[in-house]
Amino acid sequence: MMEKDLQYVLRRGVTEIIVEQELVRLLESGKRLRLKMGFDPSRPDIHLGHVVGMRKLRQFQELGHQVVLIVGDWTAQIGDPSGTSQTRQMLSAEEVRANAETYLQQFFKVVDREKTEVLWQSEWFGKFTLADVIRLTSKFTVAQLLAREDFNQRYSAGRPIAITELLYPLLQAYDSVMMEADVEFGGIDQKFNCLMGRELQQMMGQTPQHVFLMPLLVGTDGQQKMSKSLDNYIAIEDTPEDMYGKVMSIPDSLLMDYFELLTDVPDEELEEFRRGLSAQSVNPMILKKRLAREIVGQFHGTDASNEAESNFEKVVQKKEVPEEIMEIAFSFTSPTSGPNEKLVRPPFTHGTEGFLGEGESISALPRVISTIDIPGVLLAKSLVKSRAEAKRLIVQGAVSMDGRVIHESEAQVYADSIIRIGKRRWVKIVDADAKQ
RNA sequence: GGAGGGGUGGGUGAGCGGCUAAUACCAGCAGACUGUAAAUCUGCCGCCUGAAAUGGCUACGUAGGUUCGAAUCCUACCCCCUCCA
């Protein structure tokens, strides 16, 4: 049983383990290992890309090991040069602290807080002197650092590399020494930095850490790794509905990766899914719904994930109006004043008169009617960036009211009329007077 | 210290006195088709005004200047990059 668990943890969602044989021996020795994971508090939000590593940490915790989370309050200032971003803004100490707080809160949604130790880099780098810097940097050569692929590329392409960027791997390596890491976890793009940790530990008389590398989660665009700056991410703070919808929008090609990296669905079942997909005997959409339920459930519970699913079926698949929508108050009795301001065009032409039958009064009618300026409404609720945009959308037939496409900026609305823009934006006009 | 290159819309990147709100590509938005998948096709993609043709305003690092007219020319300043030392 134990054996099987270990194999699962070492196989599922893993790209590379350095050095695997040794790590296995170490795990079998029964020693409580110190597992290193670092993060830069340059951005506070955690998304599913981070969750891949966090889940792995959790699995090791369940085997009895200790997580040590390093808050990179110094490296955050440099910005990890890996990937596209070049220069990053320096953050103030307060920003870093606030980001870190938010991060931790989210981190412990997955990782067991009881078995986690949090260390800040400033505990050691805060005391660093120039002498220390020189001592650290003298251990490595430029050639060693240029071995890193992205440095190498930039260098040979004649593009700039800041000295602080070269420092980044060294600082990260030094963290491993200070916390006496047994294993460092990271995405495959962290390989170089983690290996530097091994070297430095060895130079400083420690047993070199093992390195546990995981695949990078591809974002919702199906192209690049999930990241906030590319806006292809699913945040763990997303509402259940959003999260569900975003999962549904990933390309089919990512389906199995997501299952493997982000859920506990057993390998045997995943095999079945794969067979079904390649034999085309199963609709990927069905599997994706399962995936979405699994993921939403992890962060919001099964009730919320079921609700998110029925909401999705109702709103997206059946194209009905969602349960909860934004409302805007409109006074039908005095359409040209009060809260309406920009909602009614100055030459107010249509009122209730003419819509009343013989002997009817306003109160006898279930709904009142008035003419309203649609772009004004959309703008007032920030559903649109400008009037111009609203008009464009109307021209393109993207705006409908009570199920009918609108072609003009002015439209007749009733109390409780519902305006829809595109696929996922709604507003409801409510009677301000009735609401009082 | 010296020589050279460059700063254009969310990104890449053309334009180098009027035809330029500014080519193209990417991203984004919307429509068709759909499974909120992919692929494809179509339209949009600075702001305000107008039903619309139109009109006005703001924008090509910053500040001035030349000109009937400037992203395009001149001056100063700021910033970035490359090479030599």
Side-chain angles (χ1 to χ4, degrees):
Chain A
M1 183 60 200
M2 188 66 202
E3 187 58 30
K4 196 192 167 208
D5 284 352
L6 188 58
Q7 277 309 309
Y8 176 80
V9 170
L10 292 176
R11 285 284 154 262
R12 172 95 170 228
V14 180
T15 304
E16 191 174 358
I17 300 173
I18 303 166
V19 178
E20 181 164 356
Q21 291 297 321
E22 290 177 22
L23 178 61
V24 169
R25 216 169 299 136
L26 195 56
L27 284 165
E28 284 168 351
S29 75
K31 185 188 172 201
R32 189 174 204 225
L33 302 180
R34 290 171 67 73
L35 314 174
K36 177 189 176 192
M37 174 82 121
F39 83 95
D40 284 350
S42 46
R43 291 172 184 265
D45 295 294
I46 293 188
H47 53 63
L48 295 185
H50 302 112
V51 169
V52 174
M54 286 154 58
R55 286 172 52 82
K56 192 51 79 179
L57 288 176
R58 174 79 197 203
Q59 290 165 7
F60 274 89
Q61 282 182 323
E62 281 162 9
L63 293 173
H65 302 289
Q66 172 78 22
V67 167
V68 181
L69 180 68
I70 306 285
V71 181
D73 52 347
W74 278 75
T75 41
Q77 308 218 352
I78 299 172
D80 186 0
S82 70
T84 50
S85 67
Q86 279 194 13
T87 324
R88 202 173 276 184
Q89 280 192 337
M90 293 273 189
L91 299 167
S92 74
E94 292 78 56
E95 283 173 308
V96 167
R97 181 158 287 277
N99 286 348
E101 291 301 329
T102 315
Y103 188 100
L104 285 175
Q105 209 182 333
Q106 296 172 34
F107 186 77
F108 291 126
K109 284 189 174 179
V110 176
V111 178
D112 183 357
R113 183 178 232 129
E114 297 303 309
K115 291 179 185 160
T116 302
E117 184 182 333
V118 178
L119 295 178
W120 293 64
Q121 275 182 327
S122 47
E123 288 177 38
W124 44 89
F125 289 136
K127 297 188 279 239
F128 243 50
T129 63
L130 183 57
D132 291 316
V133 174
I134 290 170
R135 207 170 299 131
L136 176 60
T137 50
S138 67
K139 293 187 187 297
F140 296 92
T141 66
V142 173
Q144 269 177 300
L145 291 167
L146 284 182
R148 190 170 127 163
E149 200 190 337
D150 61 323
F151 283 153
N152 196 352
Q153 277 176 5
R154 281 159 68 183
Y155 187 70
S156 37
R159 299 181 59 197
I161 301 169
I163 292 169
T164 46
E165 293 185 278
L166 291 177
L167 229 40
Y168 191 100
L170 301 190
L171 298 188
Q172 186 170 334
Y174 193 77
D175 294 339
S176 293
V177 173
M178 292 314 286
M179 63 154 282
E180 300 182 33
D182 293 308
V183 190
E184 177 160 9
F185 289 73
I188 185 67
D189 59 343
Q190 288 294 308
K191 185 171 176 177
F192 182 91
N193 294 351
C194 296
L195 290 175
M196 291 295 278
R198 274 175 72 80
E199 298 228 14
L200 190 61
Q201 280 175 308
Q202 197 151 32
M203 288 180 204
M204 308 206 27
Q206 291 184 11
T207 309
Q209 65 187 6
H210 298 285
V211 179
F212 201 99
L213 299 165
M214 289 153 284
L216 299 178
L217 191 73
V218 176
T220 53
D221 59 353
Q223 303 289 324
Q224 296 183 268
K225 79 166 182 178
M226 185 174 283
S227 91
K228 194 173 184 193
S229 49
L230 292 171
D231 197 28
N232 62 355
Y233 68 101
I234 303 175
I236 71 173
E237 295 280 303
D238 278 342
T239 63
E241 287 73 25
D242 269 358
M243 199 181 253
Y244 192 99
K246 285 187 187 177
V247 173
M248 289 308 288
S249 76
I250 64 168
D252 292 350
S253 55
L254 298 183
L255 190 54
M256 293 315 298
D257 284 349
Y258 272 51
F259 263 116
E260 183 174 346
L261 298 173
L262 297 168
T263 73
D264 292 321
V265 177
D267 291 336
E268 300 79 54
E269 216 174 328
L270 297 192
E271 249 334 288
E272 244 174 73
F273 292 173
R274 278 202 186 84
R275 277 197 297 273
L277 287 172
S278 59
Q280 302 199 324
S281 59
V282 59
N283 184 342
M285 187 263 290
I286 302 297
L287 292 184
K288 220 186 272 179
K289 283 170 88 168
R290 165 79 185 277
L291 176 68
R293 239 183 297 134
E294 293 279 346
I295 291 176
V296 174
Q298 281 179 50
F299 299 100
H300 300 283
T302 27
D303 288 351
S305 86
N306 288 334
E307 264 174 51
E309 177 155 282
S310 39
N311 178 67
F312 176 83
E313 286 166 353
K314 179 177 173 169
V315 175
V316 178
Q317 301 193 302
K318 295 187 190 147
K319 306 196 171 170
E320 290 170 10
V321 178
E323 306 271 315
E324 286 181 22
I325 60 179
M326 192 182 279
E327 296 183 345
I328 186 165
F330 180 82
S331 170
F332 288 83
T333 50
S334 53
T336 50
S337 64
N340 304 320
E341 279 189 272
K342 298 187 176 160
L343 308 185
V344 177
R345 300 312 210 95
F348 178 68
T349 45
H350 310 284
T352 50
E353 64 281 353
F355 295 97
L356 298 177
E358 282 290 314
E360 282 179 323
S361 68
I362 294 174
S363 58
L365 288 171
R367 307 162 105 195
V368 270
I369 190 172
S370 183
T371 299
I372 201 164
D373 176 42
I374 302 296
V377 174
L378 304 185
L379 196 57
K381 282 291 168 188
S382 306
L383 289 167
V384 122
K385 283 199 286 286
S386 64
R387 290 198 112 245
E389 189 190 349
K391 288 181 187 173
R392 269 180 236 130
L393 287 167
I394 290 171
V395 169
Q396 298 185 45
V399 181
S400 61
M401 185 172 66
D402 298 330
R404 294 183 159 199
V405 176
I406 293 175
H407 294 286
E408 309 203 323
S409 290
E410 285 178 28
Q412 308 222 305
V413 291
Y414 302 88
D416 297 333
S417 276
I418 289 169
I419 302 174
R420 176 182 185 179
I421 311 102
K423 278 180 186 155
R424 43 195 304 194
R425 286 171 277 178
W426 284 268
V427 229
K428 185 183 199 175
I429 310 289
V430 298
D431 189 343
D433 306 311
K435 219 182 171 188
Q436 29 125 22

